[in-house]
mmCIF file of all heavy atoms in Angstrom:
data_model
loop_
_atom_site.group_PDB
_atom_site.id
_atom_site.type_symbol
_atom_site.label_atom_id
_atom_site.label_comp_id
_atom_site.label_asym_id
_atom_site.label_seq_id
_atom_site.Cartn_x
_atom_site.Cartn_y
_atom_site.Cartn_z
ATOM 1 N N ARG L 1 0.833 -1.202 0.000
ATOM 2 C CA ARG L 1 0.000 0.000 0.000
ATOM 3 C C ARG L 1 0.868 1.252 0.000
ATOM 4 O O ARG L 1 0.602 2.214 -0.724
ATOM 5 C CB ARG L 1 -0.918 -0.012 1.217
ATOM 6 C CG ARG L 1 -1.917 1.159 1.239
ATOM 7 C CD ARG L 1 -2.736 1.139 2.507
ATOM 8 N NE ARG L 1 -3.514 -0.087 2.612
ATOM 9 C CZ ARG L 1 -4.189 -0.434 3.706
ATOM 10 N NH1 ARG L 1 -4.145 0.349 4.776
ATOM 11 N NH2 ARG L 1 -4.894 -1.533 3.728
ATOM 12 N N LEU L 2 1.919 1.236 0.805
ATOM 13 C CA LEU L 2 2.805 2.395 0.888
ATOM 14 C C LEU L 2 3.535 2.640 -0.425
ATOM 15 O O LEU L 2 3.630 3.774 -0.897
ATOM 16 C CB LEU L 2 3.822 2.193 2.017
ATOM 17 C CG LEU L 2 3.310 2.449 3.434
ATOM 18 C CD1 LEU L 2 4.288 1.918 4.451
ATOM 19 C CD2 LEU L 2 3.084 3.930 3.633
ATOM 20 N N ILE L 3 4.052 1.576 -1.012
ATOM 21 C CA ILE L 3 4.768 1.706 -2.282
ATOM 22 C C ILE L 3 3.848 2.305 -3.343
ATOM 23 O O ILE L 3 4.240 3.191 -4.123
ATOM 24 C CB ILE L 3 5.308 0.340 -2.752
ATOM 25 C CG1 ILE L 3 6.464 -0.112 -1.866
ATOM 26 C CG2 ILE L 3 5.756 0.411 -4.205
ATOM 27 C CD1 ILE L 3 7.697 0.771 -1.964
ATOM 28 N N THR L 4 2.615 1.851 -3.380
ATOM 29 C CA THR L 4 1.647 2.348 -4.359
ATOM 30 C C THR L 4 1.279 3.802 -4.079
ATOM 31 O O THR L 4 1.249 4.642 -4.984
ATOM 32 C CB THR L 4 0.367 1.490 -4.342
ATOM 33 O OG1 THR L 4 0.719 0.130 -4.585
ATOM 34 C CG2 THR L 4 -0.601 1.955 -5.405
ATOM 35 N N GLN L 5 1.014 4.095 -2.802
ATOM 36 C CA GLN L 5 0.620 5.449 -2.413
ATOM 37 C C GLN L 5 1.700 6.474 -2.722
ATOM 38 O O GLN L 5 1.419 7.570 -3.205
ATOM 39 C CB GLN L 5 0.322 5.502 -0.903
ATOM 40 C CG GLN L 5 -0.956 4.818 -0.493
ATOM 41 C CD GLN L 5 -1.123 4.854 1.015
ATOM 42 O OE1 GLN L 5 -1.870 4.098 1.570
ATOM 43 N NE2 GLN L 5 -0.429 5.760 1.675
ATOM 44 N N GLN L 6 2.954 6.100 -2.424
ATOM 45 C CA GLN L 6 4.034 7.073 -2.500
ATOM 46 C C GLN L 6 4.667 7.163 -3.887
ATOM 47 O O GLN L 6 5.625 7.917 -4.072
ATOM 48 C CB GLN L 6 5.117 6.710 -1.465
ATOM 49 C CG GLN L 6 4.638 6.699 -0.030
ATOM 50 C CD GLN L 6 4.123 8.064 0.404
ATOM 51 O OE1 GLN L 6 4.523 9.097 -0.129
ATOM 52 N NE2 GLN L 6 3.227 8.076 1.383
ATOM 53 N N LEU L 7 4.156 6.411 -4.850
ATOM 54 C CA LEU L 7 4.745 6.431 -6.185
ATOM 55 C C LEU L 7 4.667 7.823 -6.804
ATOM 56 O O LEU L 7 5.661 8.334 -7.341
ATOM 57 C CB LEU L 7 4.044 5.411 -7.091
ATOM 58 C CG LEU L 7 4.600 5.322 -8.530
ATOM 59 C CD1 LEU L 7 6.069 4.953 -8.504
ATOM 60 C CD2 LEU L 7 3.800 4.312 -9.341
ATOM 61 N N LEU L 8 3.506 8.453 -6.723
ATOM 62 C CA LEU L 8 3.351 9.803 -7.265
ATOM 63 C C LEU L 8 4.247 10.784 -6.522
ATOM 64 O O LEU L 8 4.876 11.658 -7.132
ATOM 65 C CB LEU L 8 1.890 10.245 -7.174
ATOM 66 C CG LEU L 8 1.582 11.654 -7.687
ATOM 67 C CD1 LEU L 8 2.004 11.799 -9.140
ATOM 68 C CD2 LEU L 8 0.090 11.979 -7.525
ATOM 69 N N ALA L 9 4.306 10.632 -5.192
ATOM 70 C CA ALA L 9 5.168 11.510 -4.396
ATOM 71 C C ALA L 9 6.621 11.353 -4.806
ATOM 72 O O ALA L 9 7.375 12.327 -4.883
ATOM 73 C CB ALA L 9 4.993 11.193 -2.909
ATOM 74 N N LEU L 10 7.033 10.114 -5.084
ATOM 75 C CA LEU L 10 8.412 9.854 -5.502
ATOM 76 C C LEU L 10 8.713 10.530 -6.829
ATOM 77 O O LEU L 10 9.771 11.154 -6.998
ATOM 78 C CB LEU L 10 8.641 8.344 -5.610
ATOM 79 C CG LEU L 10 9.992 7.897 -6.185
ATOM 80 C CD1 LEU L 10 11.135 8.431 -5.341
ATOM 81 C CD2 LEU L 10 10.047 6.377 -6.271
ATOM 82 N N LEU L 11 7.787 10.424 -7.780
ATOM 83 C CA LEU L 11 7.992 11.030 -9.096
ATOM 84 C C LEU L 11 8.088 12.556 -8.981
ATOM 85 O O LEU L 11 8.953 13.179 -9.614
ATOM 86 C CB LEU L 11 6.843 10.637 -10.025
ATOM 87 C CG LEU L 11 6.747 9.153 -10.381
ATOM 88 C CD1 LEU L 11 5.513 8.876 -11.233
ATOM 89 C CD2 LEU L 11 8.007 8.681 -11.106
ATOM 90 N N ILE L 12 7.213 13.149 -8.159
ATOM 91 C CA ILE L 12 7.257 14.600 -7.959
ATOM 92 C C ILE L 12 8.563 15.006 -7.295
ATOM 93 O O ILE L 12 9.196 16.007 -7.667
ATOM 94 C CB ILE L 12 6.053 15.066 -7.108
ATOM 95 C CG1 ILE L 12 4.741 14.809 -7.857
ATOM 96 C CG2 ILE L 12 6.177 16.544 -6.755
ATOM 97 C CD1 ILE L 12 3.507 15.117 -7.042
ATOM 98 N N THR L 13 8.990 14.227 -6.297
ATOM 99 C CA THR L 13 10.237 14.512 -5.587
ATOM 100 C C THR L 13 11.421 14.503 -6.537
ATOM 101 O O THR L 13 12.254 15.422 -6.530
ATOM 102 C CB THR L 13 10.464 13.482 -4.468
ATOM 103 O OG1 THR L 13 9.384 13.543 -3.539
ATOM 104 C CG2 THR L 13 11.764 13.771 -3.728
ATOM 105 N N CYS L 14 11.522 13.459 -7.356
ATOM 106 C CA CYS L 14 12.633 13.355 -8.323
ATOM 107 C C CYS L 14 12.628 14.551 -9.275
ATOM 108 O O CYS L 14 13.680 15.128 -9.568
ATOM 109 C CB CYS L 14 12.518 12.054 -9.116
ATOM 110 S SG CYS L 14 12.832 10.560 -8.152
ATOM 111 N N PHE L 15 11.439 14.926 -9.754
ATOM 112 C CA PHE L 15 11.312 16.023 -10.714
ATOM 113 C C PHE L 15 11.775 17.343 -10.091
ATOM 114 O O PHE L 15 12.573 18.087 -10.694
ATOM 115 C CB PHE L 15 9.859 16.126 -11.178
ATOM 116 C CG PHE L 15 9.609 17.244 -12.146
ATOM 117 C CD1 PHE L 15 10.047 17.157 -13.451
ATOM 118 C CD2 PHE L 15 8.923 18.386 -11.743
ATOM 119 C CE1 PHE L 15 9.820 18.194 -14.346
ATOM 120 C CE2 PHE L 15 8.679 19.419 -12.625
ATOM 121 C CZ PHE L 15 9.130 19.325 -13.937
ATOM 122 N N VAL L 16 11.295 17.650 -8.880
ATOM 123 C CA VAL L 16 11.630 18.917 -8.225
ATOM 124 C C VAL L 16 13.111 18.977 -7.874
ATOM 125 O O VAL L 16 13.769 20.018 -8.062
ATOM 126 C CB VAL L 16 10.777 19.123 -6.958
ATOM 127 C CG1 VAL L 16 11.230 20.364 -6.199
ATOM 128 C CG2 VAL L 16 9.308 19.242 -7.320
ATOM 129 N N ILE L 17 13.658 17.882 -7.375
ATOM 130 C CA ILE L 17 15.073 17.858 -7.013
ATOM 131 C C ILE L 17 15.957 18.079 -8.233
ATOM 132 O O ILE L 17 16.973 18.790 -8.164
ATOM 133 C CB ILE L 17 15.427 16.533 -6.306
ATOM 134 C CG1 ILE L 17 14.892 16.562 -4.868
ATOM 135 C CG2 ILE L 17 16.942 16.301 -6.288
ATOM 136 C CD1 ILE L 17 15.150 15.303 -4.080
ATOM 137 N N GLU L 18 15.587 17.499 -9.368
ATOM 138 C CA GLU L 18 16.370 17.720 -10.587
ATOM 139 C C GLU L 18 16.286 19.178 -11.033
ATOM 140 O O GLU L 18 17.270 19.735 -11.530
ATOM 141 C CB GLU L 18 15.892 16.792 -11.698
ATOM 142 C CG GLU L 18 16.238 15.335 -11.477
ATOM 143 C CD GLU L 18 17.710 15.123 -11.132
ATOM 144 O OE1 GLU L 18 18.571 15.758 -11.771
ATOM 145 O OE2 GLU L 18 17.988 14.331 -10.215
ATOM 146 N N ILE L 19 15.120 19.812 -10.854
ATOM 147 C CA ILE L 19 14.994 21.239 -11.182
ATOM 148 C C ILE L 19 15.920 22.065 -10.298
ATOM 149 O O ILE L 19 16.610 22.982 -10.758
ATOM 150 C CB ILE L 19 13.533 21.706 -11.018
ATOM 151 C CG1 ILE L 19 12.657 21.102 -12.117
ATOM 152 C CG2 ILE L 19 13.451 23.235 -11.047
ATOM 153 C CD1 ILE L 19 11.199 21.492 -12.007
ATOM 154 N N LEU L 20 15.956 21.731 -8.997
ATOM 155 C CA LEU L 20 16.826 22.450 -8.063
ATOM 156 C C LEU L 20 18.296 22.287 -8.442
ATOM 157 O O LEU L 20 19.095 23.227 -8.322
ATOM 158 C CB LEU L 20 16.594 21.945 -6.634
ATOM 159 C CG LEU L 20 15.238 22.296 -6.008
ATOM 160 C CD1 LEU L 20 15.090 21.638 -4.647
ATOM 161 C CD2 LEU L 20 15.086 23.812 -5.883
ATOM 162 N N HIS L 21 18.656 21.092 -8.910
ATOM 163 C CA HIS L 21 20.035 20.878 -9.364
ATOM 164 C C HIS L 21 20.329 21.724 -10.593
ATOM 165 O O HIS L 21 21.412 22.313 -10.713
ATOM 166 C CB HIS L 21 20.264 19.393 -9.664
ATOM 167 C CG HIS L 21 20.673 18.584 -8.475
ATOM 168 N ND1 HIS L 21 21.945 18.590 -7.955
ATOM 169 C CD2 HIS L 21 19.960 17.740 -7.685
ATOM 170 C CE1 HIS L 21 22.013 17.795 -6.915
ATOM 171 N NE2 HIS L 21 20.819 17.257 -6.722
ATOM 172 N N ARG L 22 19.372 21.796 -11.527
ATOM 173 C CA ARG L 22 19.558 22.593 -12.739
ATOM 174 C C ARG L 22 19.684 24.079 -12.412
ATOM 175 O O ARG L 22 20.376 24.828 -13.120
ATOM 176 C CB ARG L 22 18.393 22.365 -13.706
ATOM 177 C CG ARG L 22 18.308 20.967 -14.289
ATOM 178 C CD ARG L 22 19.522 20.662 -15.144
ATOM 179 N NE ARG L 22 19.459 19.333 -15.721
ATOM 180 C CZ ARG L 22 18.969 19.070 -16.920
ATOM 181 N NH1 ARG L 22 18.475 20.052 -17.655
ATOM 182 N NH2 ARG L 22 18.970 17.832 -17.385
ATOM 183 N N LEU L 23 19.000 24.527 -11.352
ATOM 184 C CA LEU L 23 19.059 25.927 -10.936
ATOM 185 C C LEU L 23 20.273 26.218 -10.056
ATOM 186 O O LEU L 23 20.424 27.335 -9.553
ATOM 187 C CB LEU L 23 17.781 26.298 -10.174
ATOM 188 C CG LEU L 23 16.476 26.259 -10.985
ATOM 189 C CD1 LEU L 23 15.284 26.524 -10.087
ATOM 190 C CD2 LEU L 23 16.514 27.270 -12.125
ATOM 191 N N ASN L 24 21.124 25.190 -9.838
ATOM 192 C CA ASN L 24 22.325 25.320 -8.989
ATOM 193 C C ASN L 24 21.991 25.743 -7.565
ATOM 194 O O ASN L 24 22.748 26.494 -6.926
ATOM 195 C CB ASN L 24 23.306 26.325 -9.615
ATOM 196 C CG ASN L 24 23.863 25.845 -10.934
ATOM 197 O OD1 ASN L 24 24.178 24.666 -11.098
ATOM 198 N ND2 ASN L 24 23.983 26.751 -11.899
ATOM 199 N N ALA L 25 20.846 25.275 -7.061
ATOM 200 C CA ALA L 25 20.453 25.576 -5.683
ATOM 201 C C ALA L 25 20.999 24.542 -4.717
ATOM 202 O O ALA L 25 21.033 24.772 -3.505
ATOM 203 C CB ALA L 25 18.934 25.643 -5.575
ATOM 204 N N ILE L 26 21.432 23.398 -5.241
ATOM 205 C CA ILE L 26 21.916 22.320 -4.398
ATOM 206 C C ILE L 26 23.428 22.193 -4.556
ATOM 207 O O ILE L 26 23.923 21.728 -5.589
ATOM 208 C CB ILE L 26 21.220 20.990 -4.753
ATOM 209 C CG1 ILE L 26 19.717 21.102 -4.476
ATOM 210 C CG2 ILE L 26 21.810 19.834 -3.963
ATOM 211 C CD1 ILE L 26 18.923 19.874 -4.829
ATOM 212 N N TYR L 27 24.137 22.634 -3.543
ATOM 213 C CA TYR L 27 25.596 22.555 -3.528
ATOM 214 C C TYR L 27 26.080 22.747 -2.095
ATOM 215 O O TYR L 27 25.315 23.183 -1.229
ATOM 216 C CB TYR L 27 26.213 23.620 -4.444
ATOM 217 C CG TYR L 27 25.870 25.043 -4.051
ATOM 218 C CD1 TYR L 27 26.709 25.773 -3.203
ATOM 219 C CD2 TYR L 27 24.704 25.654 -4.518
ATOM 220 C CE1 TYR L 27 26.392 27.065 -2.835
ATOM 221 C CE2 TYR L 27 24.382 26.942 -4.154
ATOM 222 C CZ TYR L 27 25.234 27.653 -3.310
ATOM 223 O OH TYR L 27 24.918 28.934 -2.942
ATOM 224 N N ASP L 28 27.325 22.421 -1.861
ATOM 225 C CA ASP L 28 27.915 22.582 -0.534
ATOM 226 C C ASP L 28 28.280 24.060 -0.365
ATOM 227 O O ASP L 28 29.235 24.540 -0.973
ATOM 228 C CB ASP L 28 29.160 21.694 -0.400
ATOM 229 C CG ASP L 28 29.701 21.664 1.013
ATOM 230 O OD1 ASP L 28 29.805 22.739 1.634
ATOM 231 O OD2 ASP L 28 30.019 20.569 1.504
ATOM 232 N N VAL L 29 27.516 24.786 0.441
ATOM 233 C CA VAL L 29 27.696 26.233 0.580
ATOM 234 C C VAL L 29 29.060 26.569 1.170
ATOM 235 O O VAL L 29 29.755 27.465 0.678
ATOM 236 C CB VAL L 29 26.581 26.831 1.456
ATOM 237 C CG1 VAL L 29 26.809 28.329 1.646
ATOM 238 C CG2 VAL L 29 25.228 26.588 0.826
ATOM 239 N N LYS L 30 29.456 25.871 2.209
ATOM 240 C CA LYS L 30 30.732 26.160 2.862
ATOM 241 C C LYS L 30 31.889 25.964 1.893
ATOM 242 O O LYS L 30 32.787 26.816 1.803
ATOM 243 C CB LYS L 30 30.921 25.249 4.080
ATOM 244 C CG LYS L 30 32.222 25.507 4.836
ATOM 245 C CD LYS L 30 32.344 24.602 6.052
ATOM 246 C CE LYS L 30 33.655 24.867 6.786
ATOM 247 N NZ LYS L 30 33.785 23.990 7.995
ATOM 248 N N LYS L 31 31.880 24.877 1.155
ATOM 249 C CA LYS L 31 32.943 24.612 0.182
ATOM 250 C C LYS L 31 32.956 25.691 -0.901
ATOM 251 O O LYS L 31 34.021 26.150 -1.314
ATOM 252 C CB LYS L 31 32.746 23.244 -0.458
ATOM 253 C CG LYS L 31 33.811 22.880 -1.487
ATOM 254 C CD LYS L 31 33.573 21.494 -2.043
ATOM 255 C CE LYS L 31 34.648 21.111 -3.051
ATOM 256 N NZ LYS L 31 34.659 22.027 -4.233
ATOM 257 N N SER L 32 31.769 26.104 -1.348
ATOM 258 C CA SER L 32 31.679 27.127 -2.383
ATOM 259 C C SER L 32 32.266 28.458 -1.899
ATOM 260 O O SER L 32 33.004 29.132 -2.630
ATOM 261 C CB SER L 32 30.221 27.323 -2.794
ATOM 262 O OG SER L 32 30.092 28.342 -3.748
ATOM 263 N N ILE L 33 31.949 28.840 -0.654
ATOM 264 C CA ILE L 33 32.460 30.088 -0.093
ATOM 265 C C ILE L 33 33.972 30.036 0.046
ATOM 266 O O ILE L 33 34.684 30.996 -0.298
ATOM 267 C CB ILE L 33 31.808 30.372 1.269
ATOM 268 C CG1 ILE L 33 30.321 30.691 1.084
ATOM 269 C CG2 ILE L 33 32.512 31.523 1.982
ATOM 270 C CD1 ILE L 33 29.564 30.875 2.379
ATOM 271 N N LEU L 34 34.497 28.911 0.540
ATOM 272 C CA LEU L 34 35.942 28.766 0.693
ATOM 273 C C LEU L 34 36.655 28.791 -0.657
ATOM 274 O O LEU L 34 37.738 29.378 -0.788
ATOM 275 C CB LEU L 34 36.260 27.466 1.434
ATOM 276 C CG LEU L 34 35.834 27.412 2.907
ATOM 277 C CD1 LEU L 34 36.129 26.040 3.498
ATOM 278 C CD2 LEU L 34 36.546 28.498 3.711
ATOM 279 N N ASP L 35 36.044 28.167 -1.661
ATOM 280 C CA ASP L 35 36.638 28.168 -3.004
ATOM 281 C C ASP L 35 36.707 29.582 -3.571
ATOM 282 O O ASP L 35 37.713 29.977 -4.175
ATOM 283 C CB ASP L 35 35.841 27.263 -3.941
ATOM 284 C CG ASP L 35 36.044 25.789 -3.642
ATOM 285 O OD1 ASP L 35 37.001 25.460 -2.929
ATOM 286 O OD2 ASP L 35 35.217 24.975 -4.103
ATOM 287 N N ARG L 36 35.614 30.353 -3.390
ATOM 288 C CA ARG L 36 35.605 31.736 -3.886
ATOM 289 C C ARG L 36 36.622 32.594 -3.142
ATOM 290 O O ARG L 36 37.267 33.467 -3.734
ATOM 291 C CB ARG L 36 34.201 32.338 -3.740
ATOM 292 C CG ARG L 36 33.183 31.762 -4.710
ATOM 293 C CD ARG L 36 32.000 32.705 -4.875
ATOM 294 N NE ARG L 36 31.289 32.881 -3.627
ATOM 295 C CZ ARG L 36 30.256 32.136 -3.252
ATOM 296 N NH1 ARG L 36 29.836 31.139 -4.014
ATOM 297 N NH2 ARG L 36 29.650 32.351 -2.104
ATOM 298 N N LYS L 37 36.784 32.319 -1.836
ATOM 299 C CA LYS L 37 37.761 33.056 -1.037
ATOM 300 C C LYS L 37 39.177 32.782 -1.546
ATOM 301 O O LYS L 37 39.993 33.710 -1.675
ATOM 302 C CB LYS L 37 37.644 32.661 0.431
ATOM 303 C CG LYS L 37 38.612 33.397 1.341
ATOM 304 C CD LYS L 37 38.459 32.969 2.789
ATOM 305 C CE LYS L 37 39.463 33.691 3.675
ATOM 306 N NZ LYS L 37 39.352 33.254 5.091
ATOM 307 N N LYS L 38 39.473 31.517 -1.846
ATOM 308 C CA LYS L 38 40.796 31.167 -2.375
ATOM 309 C C LYS L 38 41.045 31.829 -3.727
ATOM 310 O O LYS L 38 42.158 32.280 -4.020
ATOM 311 C CB LYS L 38 40.916 29.646 -2.500
ATOM 312 C CG LYS L 38 41.004 28.923 -1.172
ATOM 313 C CD LYS L 38 41.121 27.419 -1.378
ATOM 314 C CE LYS L 38 41.188 26.681 -0.045
ATOM 315 N NZ LYS L 38 41.279 25.205 -0.238
ATOM 316 N N GLU L 39 39.991 31.888 -4.561
ATOM 317 C CA GLU L 39 40.121 32.528 -5.868
ATOM 318 C C GLU L 39 40.424 34.012 -5.722
ATOM 319 O O GLU L 39 41.277 34.557 -6.448
ATOM 320 C CB GLU L 39 38.839 32.334 -6.676
ATOM 321 C CG GLU L 39 38.613 30.902 -7.143
ATOM 322 C CD GLU L 39 37.304 30.737 -7.881
ATOM 323 O OE1 GLU L 39 36.591 31.762 -8.051
ATOM 324 O OE2 GLU L 39 36.982 29.614 -8.293
ATOM 325 N N ARG L 40 39.735 34.684 -4.784
ATOM 326 C CA ARG L 40 39.981 36.112 -4.566
ATOM 327 C C ARG L 40 41.392 36.348 -4.046
ATOM 328 O O ARG L 40 42.067 37.300 -4.460
ATOM 329 C CB ARG L 40 38.954 36.677 -3.585
ATOM 330 C CG ARG L 40 37.552 36.807 -4.154
ATOM 331 C CD ARG L 40 36.694 37.698 -3.275
ATOM 332 N NE ARG L 40 36.537 37.138 -1.948
ATOM 333 C CZ ARG L 40 35.539 36.331 -1.592
ATOM 334 N NH1 ARG L 40 34.632 35.974 -2.482
ATOM 335 N NH2 ARG L 40 35.452 35.882 -0.365
ATOM 336 N N GLU L 41 41.844 35.483 -3.130
ATOM 337 C CA GLU L 41 43.196 35.614 -2.587
ATOM 338 C C GLU L 41 44.245 35.396 -3.680
ATOM 339 O O GLU L 41 45.258 36.101 -3.729
ATOM 340 C CB GLU L 41 43.406 34.606 -1.450
ATOM 341 C CG GLU L 41 42.581 34.919 -0.209
ATOM 342 C CD GLU L 41 42.728 33.844 0.858
ATOM 343 O OE1 GLU L 41 43.282 32.760 0.539
ATOM 344 O OE2 GLU L 41 42.282 34.082 1.997
ATOM 345 N N PHE L 42 43.983 34.444 -4.559
ATOM 346 C CA PHE L 42 44.908 34.176 -5.656
ATOM 347 C C PHE L 42 44.966 35.361 -6.614
ATOM 348 O O PHE L 42 46.038 35.776 -7.060
ATOM 349 C CB PHE L 42 44.477 32.917 -6.413
ATOM 350 C CG PHE L 42 45.311 32.622 -7.619
ATOM 351 C CD1 PHE L 42 46.555 32.009 -7.482
ATOM 352 C CD2 PHE L 42 44.872 32.974 -8.903
ATOM 353 C CE1 PHE L 42 47.348 31.751 -8.603
ATOM 354 C CE2 PHE L 42 45.653 32.716 -10.011
ATOM 355 C CZ PHE L 42 46.899 32.102 -9.865
ATOM 356 N N GLU L 43 43.780 35.951 -6.928
ATOM 357 C CA GLU L 43 43.737 37.093 -7.824
ATOM 358 C C GLU L 43 44.453 38.297 -7.212
ATOM 359 O O GLU L 43 45.186 39.009 -7.901
ATOM 360 C CB GLU L 43 42.284 37.463 -8.132
ATOM 361 C CG GLU L 43 41.577 36.444 -9.005
ATOM 362 C CD GLU L 43 40.115 36.781 -9.208
ATOM 363 O OE1 GLU L 43 39.645 37.766 -8.594
ATOM 364 O OE2 GLU L 43 39.439 36.068 -9.975
ATOM 365 N N THR L 44 44.227 38.522 -5.905
ATOM 366 C CA THR L 44 44.891 39.638 -5.223
ATOM 367 C C THR L 44 46.400 39.478 -5.248
ATOM 368 O O THR L 44 47.146 40.435 -5.525
ATOM 369 C CB THR L 44 44.406 39.732 -3.752
ATOM 370 O OG1 THR L 44 42.988 39.901 -3.727
ATOM 371 C CG2 THR L 44 45.077 40.892 -3.043
ATOM 372 N N GLU L 45 46.844 38.264 -4.954
ATOM 373 C CA GLU L 45 48.283 37.983 -4.958
ATOM 374 C C GLU L 45 48.870 38.143 -6.362
ATOM 375 O O GLU L 45 49.967 38.676 -6.536
ATOM 376 C CB GLU L 45 48.530 36.558 -4.455
ATOM 377 C CG GLU L 45 49.999 36.210 -4.328
ATOM 378 C CD GLU L 45 50.211 34.805 -3.789
ATOM 379 O OE1 GLU L 45 49.230 34.204 -3.309
ATOM 380 O OE2 GLU L 45 51.355 34.322 -3.867
#
């Protein structure tokens, strides 16, 4: 019953998560900030 009930929810979940990935909303924020900081330091140097 659960597998049947949640099938639509699963399809919607997969669809929305892929949209979020395409919009670059899903990423490691801390790593991204540190990477940008290193880039700025490299450019300054």
Side-chain angles (χ1 to χ4, degrees):
R1 185 184 299 171
L2 281 167
I3 289 294
T4 303
Q5 288 177 199
Q6 300 299 334
L7 181 59
L8 179 58
L10 174 59
L11 294 176
I12 296 175
T13 300
C14 291
F15 179 73
V16 174
I17 285 179
E18 290 310 317
I19 290 179
L20 291 175
H21 273 283
R22 293 296 180 93
L23 295 175
N24 295 320
I26 297 178
Y27 61 92
D28 188 315
V29 178
K30 181 179 180 180
K31 180 178 181 298
S32 177
I33 292 175
L34 292 176
D35 288 344
R36 289 201 297 268
K37 181 180 178 182
K38 290 180 181 179
E39 290 177 2
R40 288 195 298 269
E41 291 176 348
F42 176 80
E43 290 176 356
T44 302
E45 184 178 348

